[in-house]
Amino acid sequence: MYITASASSLLRASRARLASSIAHSPKLSPPPLTGQTQARSLSSSAAAARSLRSSLPRWSHGVEWRSPLAHRLQIRAAAPVIERFQRRIATMATEHPFKGIFTSLPKPGGGEFGKFYSLPALNDPRIGNLISCPIRLESFSNPQFVIATTSRSPRKMSRRSLTGRIRLLSKSKSRSSLLVSSCRHDFTGVPAVVDLASMRDAVTNLGGDPKKINPLVPVDLVIDHSVQVDVTRSENAVQANMELEFQRNKERFAFLKWGSSAFHNMLVVPPGSGIVHQVNLEYLGRVVFNTDGILYPDSVVGTDSHTTMIDGLGVAGWGVGGIEAEAVMLGQPMSMVLPGVVGFKLMGKLRNGVTATDLVLTVTQMLRKHGVVGKFVEFYGDGMGELSLADRATIANMSPEYGATMGFFPVDHVTLQYLKLTGRSDETVARIEAYLRANKMFVDYNEPQQERVYSSYLQLDLSEVEPCISGPKRPHDRVALREMKTDWHSCLDNKVGFKGFAIPKEEQGKVAKFSFHGQPAELKHGSVVIAAITSCTNTSNPSVMLGAGLVAKKACELGLQVKPWVKTSLAPGSGVVTKYLLKSGLQKYLNEQGFNIVGYGCTTCIGNSGDIDESVGSAITENDIVAAAVLSGNRNFEGRVHALTRANYLASPPLVVAYALAGTVDIDFDKEPIGVGKDGKSVYFRDIWPSTAEIAEAVQSSVLPDMFKSTYEAITKGNPMWNELTVPAASSYSWDPKSTYIHEPPYFKNMTLNPPGAHGVKDAYCLLNFGDSITTDHISPAGSIHKDSPAAKFLLERGVERKDFNSYGSRRGNDEIMARGTFANIRLVNKLLNGEVGPKTVHIPTGEKLYVFDAASRYMNDGHDTIVLAGAEYGSGSSRDWAAKGPMLLGVKAVIAKSFERIHRSNLVGMGIIPLCFKPGQDADTLGLTGHERYTIDLPANISEIRPGQDVTVSTDNGKSFTCTVRFDTEVELAYFNHGGILPYVIRNLMKQ
């Protein structure tokens, strides 16, 4: 469930509309810059800058760029608002500092496409070294765009500093942070609306106007993560699963529908419309905006980490923390450290039979090894011309898995062809091309290419990519298909870890026989029990989707059939997929193999795989079988897909079908048959695998522009179940204390107008001691609610039956459930437990082994703070805000890790938790820390004495002392910390206005 809001340049659209009105006002006479009149300089006062930023976006309520996806919201700005803007601008100088580079973009046949800021007009040759970065650089030409420096106040970006910034954007050694005044973003819906509703209550309690809590940018909330795979192998699966979805989620759907009317600028797109990233790619992505004749690049931020899929379209986009995005909705600028840019050169052409998924898993492994956390990756080279737009989007989508902020593909002829395919008009495409060429952002591979300057370089010959999968526990653990059987047996032998299950040799050949609905069945280690074509990563790509259909077709013709106890499913990212699978005639073969369409949304990849058959589950648990899931998603972390599948592999959709047919991952596809055909002969992998030419022919004949047009014309119609929901018309939400879905969070209780100030940590206990690669799946509640967990106990005590537990994801509007689910992953490895796996820890004062929630509650009740120790890549995976909210509710005051994933570190700051990094070469083990110590973090109480990235001393009660780097990366983040988090900061600022 995600929200899509305005473009990063929406503020400009607001100004353009404002100036259009001012131009007709007798009070002012603006200069001829089509509404871009601004001050020659901005006040250095943070209050003045904040006031201006918070007001300008209100004009966005009626901007025309908003998609037809959003039923047109009426302009809510009234005459007094216009007059207030007029008075402000009347006090400013009217000469635009960049008027010298503001020029017309001519049409080839006469006339003009519009006006734009010309980067080449700066006459700086370094601009030619940039592709992804001019999108950020171009924004600097707007004098309203501010930069947070090492000083405490925003300042205007001068032309001199603009040109000087070019090197920093390509080499990026700057610790400055970019403040984006508004943006288009996607993020998890229920917690956002819950937080907005509770913020209104907080403002009321402080004596303010609750209506100040209102999105200042248009917000589209797309419900795409609530469907579960309950019904499969049925032509009625889509309808049946949606009915169950509404039965489980009626309360929260009604809450969201309330939010769409209670808050201005908020539209909720009903379930069943598709995955927001694919909708973004096929429909919402503009590449270049045209607002009142002013042209500027589209860019996106979103709280789903896979917002990066849009980078494949040449739109700069990346994920941010959910908490941060909520603040952006309310007018708070977004802060980020300027990134380094890694150049990734692609050469050659993929071999016959190699898929885009094989390529992305290879790229993911290479970039994760190279180290690109917090960096941009820009792809270039002659091999780009051999990749379809959908192939590029598949690679861009996996940016979080290789750790980059984004994986960017510049616009070229392939991009333009895709824009036309998906229904963008010829006029629009021509304008995009002309603008990007004029600003040196278009790549024409028919022209000589210059070698660009990057922070570091990688290259890959596409012809060297081979079929592969990734797993069994991490997306970057790639395994060549030809080595899979050997690798699997190594995993059985290896000690428990990312590549190990520690199964004794004498147990590895175990066969668990059972009865599946009256027919004999059996499972072994490596048996596939879930096979799912799911998630935005691959369901956006016609080549792999139609490839899966061809595999199913060939298998049907040869007489192969997927075993009935394998839970198969197909969840497309948009309705377009259904149209081209039906057009090709391949959907019927997928249906025959059990891959019926089950819904339109994120399913298995997010943990919404639903229950597996009870007989299968019993066979797994009673015989301790290491069962496998094979899915075409992007995440395969432990405990995510299903509690009973310890081995989870990412694979292309065609390979998902192939492994489902084989029924096991313990197979050498080169040498062993998949099965026996209807003629009694062995059928091998090569017999069912389609050629690249076959797939290309299917794509060419089956994927048509009208499919995109008709799909998105119908998307606003919703469905009867959604349309029948009735909600009260009230600006404040009436909280039901008995609700187990929606609950008023405690973040703002006892909040005062004055910030609490900075704080250190004194004599804190270690709640958990982790190693490397602890993901947000380990931290944040996801998937099913285990029957013995604290969350289950909470629900049972309130009369909720086990069958109605639903998932953590569906209950993320209730902080009491989510706090109990924090660190509740059944595969959690906590060093305090000495090798025992599970969601428990040791309560240090008593030595008792308790559920993490129970231990944390005892610490808080006794007045003790806690910290978490961790290794490298702490917080990798999905950008879940609950991975920070949960620990805060458990009383965690700081996390000390070797390194953090970018989004999670930001979320921790947003919730007032101190992120600290060990010095290079150090960690808890090298420092001799066991987690049984008590920790004091010597952080100044005066915020003015803390600097971004400064060193602090951590000492323990046993006399040990070491130095860490405090990971407040910007001055803005220090301000959040001073207020106890980003949302209290926003509330206090709104109260001052």
Side-chain angles (χ1 to χ4, degrees):
M1 187 176 303
Y2 301 101
I3 290 176
T4 300
S6 65
S8 70
S9 301
L10 172 60
L11 190 57
R12 245 187 239 174
S14 306
R15 296 188 190 106
R17 286 196 170 274
L18 173 62
S20 177
S21 297
I22 293 174
H24 296 90
S25 168
K27 297 183 180 181
L28 290 174
S29 179
L33 284 177
T34 321
Q36 291 300 296
T37 301
Q38 304 295 340
R40 176 183 293 276
S41 63
L42 292 179
S43 167
S44 61
S45 163
R50 180 173 62 249
S51 177
L52 186 59
R53 286 195 301 271
S54 66
S55 299
L56 281 172
R58 294 182 186 276
W59 265 97
S60 67
H61 293 180
V63 293
E64 293 176 356
W65 70 263
R66 286 196 68 210
S67 153
L69 178 68
H71 302 300
R72 293 286 64 85
L73 298 173
Q74 306 227 342
I75 298 177
R76 306 179 191 273
V81 178
I82 300 173
E83 292 173 3
R84 184 166 68 250
F85 278 113
Q86 290 173 337
R87 287 196 299 270
R88 281 180 180 161
I89 291 189
T91 63
M92 300 177 178
T94 57
E95 183 181 352
H96 194 291
F98 290 100
K99 66 179 182 180
I101 65 171
F102 191 69
T103 187
S104 174
L105 183 66
K107 288 184 178 180
E112 69 174 28
F113 285 115
K115 289 184 167 45
F116 74 108
Y117 291 92
S118 171
L119 294 181
L122 290 171
N123 295 319
D124 193 313
R126 291 171 292 181
I127 288 177
N129 283 327
L130 305 172
I131 292 292
S132 58
C133 292
I135 295 173
R136 311 243 49 81
L137 187 66
E138 193 268 357
S139 299
F140 294 149
S141 61
N142 189 323
Q144 202 67 42
F145 214 98
V146 295
I147 296 294
T149 65
T150 53
S151 67
R152 303 243 165 213
S153 300
R155 65 175 172 83
K156 185 187 65 149
M157 190 69 165
S158 68
R159 176 168 178 172
R160 180 177 178 182
S161 59
L162 166 65
T163 55
R165 182 69 59 172
I166 295 172
R167 179 185 62 80
L168 298 177
L169 282 166
S170 57
K171 291 281 191 177
S172 191
K173 297 179 181 178
S174 172
R175 294 197 63 80
S176 298
S177 62
L178 191 61
L179 291 173
V180 182
S181 298
S182 62
C183 55
R184 186 170 73 215
H185 56 286
D186 311 336
F187 73 98
T188 305
V190 173
V193 185
V194 167
D195 289 351
L196 290 176
S198 62
M199 288 173 78
R200 278 191 172 178
D201 291 346
V203 170
T204 299
N205 294 335
L206 291 171
D209 180 4
K211 292 183 180 179
K212 285 186 176 182
I213 302 298
N214 221 35
L216 298 181
V217 295
V219 174
D220 295 331
L221 190 153
V222 183
I223 303 174
D224 62 357
H225 273 50
S226 54
V227 61
Q228 288 187 195
V229 185
D230 293 296
V231 178
T232 62
R233 295 178 179 251
S234 167
E235 293 184 3
N236 191 45
V238 173
Q239 181 65 23
N241 286 324
M242 184 172 289
E243 289 175 359
L244 289 168
E245 182 181 5
F246 270 81
Q247 288 175 22
R248 294 189 182 105
N249 301 296
K250 186 176 181 179
E251 182 182 346
R252 71 172 181 146
F253 286 174
F255 175 70
L256 292 174
K257 198 168 185 179
W258 165 81
S260 68
S261 60
F263 296 101
H264 294 177
N265 271 356
M266 182 176 290
L267 175 80
V268 177
V269 179
S273 301
I275 297 174
V276 68
H277 310 310
Q278 191 160 342
V279 175
N280 234 353
L281 189 74
E282 296 176 349
Y283 187 61
L284 294 177
R286 297 299 196 272
V287 185
V288 173
F289 272 84
N290 177 19
T291 303
D292 290 344
I294 299 174
L295 308 178
Y296 50 90
D298 183 6
S299 61
V300 181
V301 294
T303 57
D304 187 288
S305 51
H306 294 107
T307 301
T308 54
M309 176 182 271
I310 201 67
D311 298 330
L313 194 67
V315 175
W318 59 89
V320 296
I323 304 147
E324 185 178 21
E326 292 175 29
V328 171
M329 287 172 58
L330 297 171
Q332 174 64 27
M334 186 194 73
S335 167
M336 69 172 291
V337 173
L338 294 175
V341 184
V342 177
F344 198 118
K345 187 175 184 178
L346 298 173
M347 305 171 292
K349 181 180 181 180
L350 292 175
R351 289 181 288 161
N352 181 46
V354 175
T355 69
T357 313
D358 300 323
L359 171 59
V360 73
L361 294 179
T362 302
V363 168
T364 297
Q365 184 184 48
M366 291 177 65
L367 286 170
R368 179 60 75 171
K369 182 178 180 180
H370 183 74
V372 293
V373 173
K375 298 178 182 178
F376 287 176
V377 176
E378 182 171 296
F379 294 90
Y380 69 104
D382 295 340
M384 293 276 284
E386 300 296 331
L387 298 180
S388 70
L389 195 289
D391 291 347
R392 300 174 183 189
T394 304
I395 298 171
N397 183 288
M398 290 284 277
S399 295
E401 280 64 54
Y402 44 82
T405 301
M406 71 173 184
F408 187 79
F409 288 82
V411 176
D412 59 13
H413 288 102
V414 173
T415 318
L416 302 180
Q417 291 167 5
Y418 182 82
L419 291 171
K420 291 180 179 179
L421 170 68
T422 50
R424 278 79 164 190
S425 69
D426 291 342
E427 169 82 5
T428 297
V429 176
R431 181 172 64 243
I432 290 170
E433 181 178 5
Y435 170 81
L436 295 177
R437 282 185 182 275
N439 251 347
K440 305 296 184 185
M441 299 184 202
F442 187 88
V443 177
D444 190 335
Y445 290 103
N446 294 321
E447 299 175 355
Q449 300 297 301
Q450 70 177 85
E451 193 70 23
R452 304 186 186 278
V453 178
Y454 297 107
S455 303
S456 59
Y457 297 82
L458 284 173
Q459 67 179 31
L460 173 65
D461 186 339
L462 298 179
S463 66
E464 296 177 358
V465 176
E466 59 181 319
C468 58
I469 62 176
S470 186
K473 302 180 183 183
R474 296 190 299 186
H476 54 279
D477 288 334
R478 185 184 69 89
V479 185
L481 204 60
R482 57 183 170 79
E483 298 173 354
M484 180 56 196
K485 187 177 181 71
T486 301
D487 189 81
W488 171 251
H489 283 276
S490 295
C491 289
L492 291 179
D493 291 333
N494 295 341
K495 66 179 182 179
V496 174
F498 298 123
K499 296 287 289 186
F501 300 103
I503 304 298
K505 283 286 187 183
E506 63 274 13
E507 297 289 326
Q508 292 181 13
K510 179 190 296 184
V511 178
K513 296 184 180 294
F514 65 103
S515 175
F516 180 82
H517 298 272
Q519 74 176 91
E522 64 179 40
L523 294 179
K524 301 177 182 179
H525 292 302
S527 288
V528 174
V529 296
I530 292 177
I533 300 174
T534 181
S535 101
C536 49
T537 306
N538 287 284
T539 59
S540 65
N541 195 327
S543 68
V544 291
M545 294 300 287
L546 290 167
L550 288 169
V551 171
K553 178 176 184 289
K554 291 173 182 288
C556 288
E557 292 172 344
L558 291 169
L560 294 186
Q561 195 72 38
V562 176
K563 296 292 190 296
W565 54 84
V566 178
K567 185 168 187 177
T568 47
S569 61
L570 168 57
S574 84
V576 176
V577 179
T578 300
K579 286 182 169 64
Y580 65 65
L581 284 174
L582 290 173
K583 169 71 175 175
S584 67
L586 296 175
Q587 183 62 59
K588 67 176 182 179
Y589 297 108
L590 287 165
N591 291 348
E592 287 184 32
Q593 297 295 348
F595 288 93
N596 301 78
I597 295 175
V598 297
Y600 298 91
C602 259
T603 55
T604 306
C605 188
I606 195 61
N608 289 352
S609 52
D611 291 334
I612 59 176
D613 190 88
E614 186 176 351
S615 63
V616 177
S618 296
I620 293 172
T621 55
E622 291 171 7
N623 296 277
D624 196 25
I625 295 293
V626 182
V630 183
L631 63 152
S632 66
N634 40 43
R635 299 274 163 78
N636 58 338
F637 302 125
E638 291 178 287
R640 180 184 181 102
V641 173
H642 195 282
L644 296 180
T645 59
R646 278 191 272 171
N648 301 285
Y649 285 94
L650 304 183
S652 66
L655 272 178
V656 170
V657 178
Y659 272 110
L661 289 162
T664 181
V665 296
D666 185 9
I667 184 173
D668 184 338
F669 278 141
D670 285 341
K671 301 175 182 177
E672 299 177 72
I674 288 177
V676 177
K678 58 188 175 183
D679 59 1
K681 295 181 180 179
S682 294
V683 177
Y684 290 85
F685 179 79
R686 57 183 174 271
D687 298 324
I688 63 170
W689 197 251
S691 68
T692 300
E694 287 178 284
I695 294 174
E697 182 180 350
V699 172
Q700 183 68 28
S701 62
S702 304
V703 185
L704 306 174
D706 286 347
M707 295 176 178
F708 295 89
K709 182 178 180 181
S710 61
T711 296
Y712 291 107
E713 283 178 347
I715 200 171
T716 58
K717 295 179 181 178
N719 59 72
M721 287 179 282
W722 176 265
N723 296 335
E724 290 170 5
L725 288 175
T726 58
V727 296
S731 60
S732 295
Y733 188 70
S734 180
W735 305 98
D736 179 1
K738 296 181 180 180
S739 172
T740 57
Y741 277 97
I742 306 296
H743 184 261
E744 183 180 10
Y747 313 136
F748 313 116
K749 289 183 178 178
N750 303 318
M751 180 179 169
T752 63
L753 282 173
N754 296 319
H759 62 84
V761 177
K762 185 173 178 60
D763 291 332
Y765 284 101
C766 177
L767 181 63
L768 296 141
N769 184 3
F770 293 130
D772 295 341
S773 295
I774 292 296
T775 72
T776 52
D777 280 11
H778 291 112
I779 307 166
S780 171
S784 61
I785 298 173
H786 195 272
K787 60 183 177 65
D788 297 323
S789 66
K793 180 181 178 182
F794 177 87
L795 290 171
L796 290 170
E797 289 173 349
R798 282 151 184 80
V800 179
E801 296 182 27
R802 169 111 174 60
K803 65 182 179 61
D804 297 322
F805 277 4
N806 212 332
S807 65
Y808 280 115
S810 68
R811 294 186 179 274
R812 54 191 164 203
N814 189 312
D815 60 280
E816 293 181 316
I817 299 290
M818 301 304 279
R820 286 164 171 79
T822 301
F823 298 113
N825 190 299
I826 62 172
R827 303 299 177 194
L828 201 67
V829 178
N830 172 17
K831 294 180 183 179
L832 293 178
L833 295 178
N834 297 318
E836 182 180 339
V837 177
K840 293 188 177 182
T841 193
V842 174
H843 180 249
I844 303 300
T846 63
E848 292 180 75
K849 185 173 69 175
L850 303 172
Y851 280 107
V852 176
F853 173 80
D854 294 334
S857 298
R858 190 176 295 186
Y859 283 127
M860 288 189 290
N861 291 337
D862 293 340
H864 299 308
D865 291 340
T866 55
I867 65 153
V868 170
L869 294 176
E873 299 175 353
Y874 184 76
S876 58
S878 300
S879 55
R880 294 199 179 114
D881 55 349
W882 271 109
K885 288 179 177 178
M888 186 276 285
L889 293 176
L890 296 185
V892 173
K893 300 301 181 184
V895 178
I896 309 175
K898 289 176 67 176
S899 64
F900 294 90
E901 285 288 301
R902 177 183 56 86
I903 298 175
H904 183 62
R905 185 206 61 82
S906 173
N907 274 338
L908 290 174
V909 174
M911 292 310 296
I913 296 175
I914 305 168
L916 296 164
C917 276
F918 291 108
K919 286 298 182 180
Q922 294 183 344
D923 58 21
D925 292 338
T926 61
L927 292 170
L929 305 174
T930 66
H932 289 265
E933 307 86 356
R934 299 186 71 173
Y935 294 80
T936 295
I937 300 171
D938 186 17
L939 203 62
N942 190 334
I943 195 68
S944 64
E945 297 177 17
I946 306 174
R947 302 182 311 279
Q950 78 175 49
D951 287 346
V952 297
T953 299
V954 180
S955 56
T956 66
D957 61 339
N958 61 3
K960 292 184 178 180
S961 180
F962 55 97
T963 301
C964 289
T965 301
V966 63
R967 287 297 308 278
F968 298 124
D969 288 354
T970 67
E971 297 286 344
V972 177
E973 291 184 345
L974 283 173
Y976 299 158
F977 178 60
N978 190 51
H979 282 259
I982 189 171
L983 298 183
Y985 172 88
V986 170
I987 289 176
R988 292 188 178 101
N989 281 341
L990 288 173
M991 289 293 295
K992 295 176 183 178
Q993 296 177 8

